[in-house]
Amino acid sequence: MGIRYLIADWDKHKEQLSSVRYEVFVVGQNVPPELERDEADRHYNHILALDGEKPVGAARLTNDGYIGRVAVLEEYRGMGIGRELIRQLEEVAFELGFNQVELGAQLHALPFYEKMGYQAFGDIYMDAGIEHRHMKKNI
Ligand code: COA
């Protein structure tokens, strides 16, 4: 299957990035839309997965080295798209001079990130009504 990955620019790709995030977080996980949206997105690095022209995956790296908003449409899960989004964002982070990345993982996604070498630390906390833990990885 030919999934393309695009290092995305918020101004240019905000519709595609937002459509995946809206579907996954707002529709799929009942996150309020105003919590999903973030004015700071235009300053961050983004990656977009496309099946043809259809946006199917998205993730971002903040300016302080946090990976977040990792989202793959339900019907595209389990195909390695999430892993590739993370791998490419780690490359971006490395090029920007980071030697470590962090993220806030929803508890159910902990094993997904552990498979990619992330280690959980600290207590469980709530964000958007969902249980999370901090995780980090040296890159
Ligand atoms: N629990 C355990 N293992 C998981 C998992 C989960 N929830 N999701 C994926 N994995 C495993 C896969 O089986 C695969 O393992 P393998 O290499 O042994 O085959 C590996 O992790 C990579 O999976 P991949 O196919 O790349 O993941 P994906 O494209 O399905 O994306 C998410 C994973 C979490 C991004 C996707 O399920 C998603 O968008 N979920 C809803 C939004 C969300 O929860 N995002 C994370 C917020 S912290």
Side-chain angles (χ1 to χ4, degrees):
M1 188 188 48
I3 300 293
R4 288 186 294 141
Y5 296 88
L6 211 66
I7 300 297
D9 183 72
W10 184 257
D11 285 334
K12 213 160 131 195
H13 302 107
K14 61 171 173 277
E15 255 123 66
Q16 290 104 311
L17 293 162
S18 300
S19 78
V20 177
R21 284 167 34 170
Y22 188 89
E23 185 63 29
V24 169
F25 296 116
V26 179
V27 178
Q29 298 189 329
N30 294 316
V31 172
E34 62 275 17
L35 288 188
E36 199 294 301
R37 280 194 298 268
D38 185 352
E39 274 303 306
D41 270 322
R42 61 202 167 92
H43 302 299
Y44 297 157
N45 292 279
H46 298 268
I47 180 157
L48 179 63
L50 293 163
D51 178 12
E53 293 306 312
K54 182 184 177 184
V56 299
R60 75 180 190 187
L61 175 75
T62 70
N63 296 340
D64 46 3
Y66 274 78
I67 286 176
R69 301 292 204 278
V70 182
V72 175
L73 294 187
E74 203 167 354
E75 59 271 34
Y76 284 85
R77 289 181 196 160
M79 302 175 182
I81 296 174
R83 181 202 306 282
E84 186 61 17
L85 291 172
I86 301 289
R87 195 190 68 75
Q88 293 209 18
L89 274 190
E90 287 171 2
E91 244 175 56
V92 172
F94 185 76
E95 278 161 24
L96 290 171
F98 291 102
N99 50 29
Q100 177 180 291
V101 282
E102 291 195 25
L103 53 84
Q106 295 184 10
L107 273 200
H108 72 85
L110 225 74
F112 163 72
Y113 292 113
E114 277 171 345
K115 284 202 164 156
M116 281 170 281
Y118 286 80
Q119 282 189 321
F121 64 98
D123 295 332
I124 293 174
Y125 63 93
M126 297 301 283
D127 186 12
I130 300 172
E131 290 184 312
H132 282 73
R133 276 189 84 192
H134 289 297
M135 299 185 88
K136 63 182 173 190
K137 177 182 178 179
N138 293 326
I139 56 173

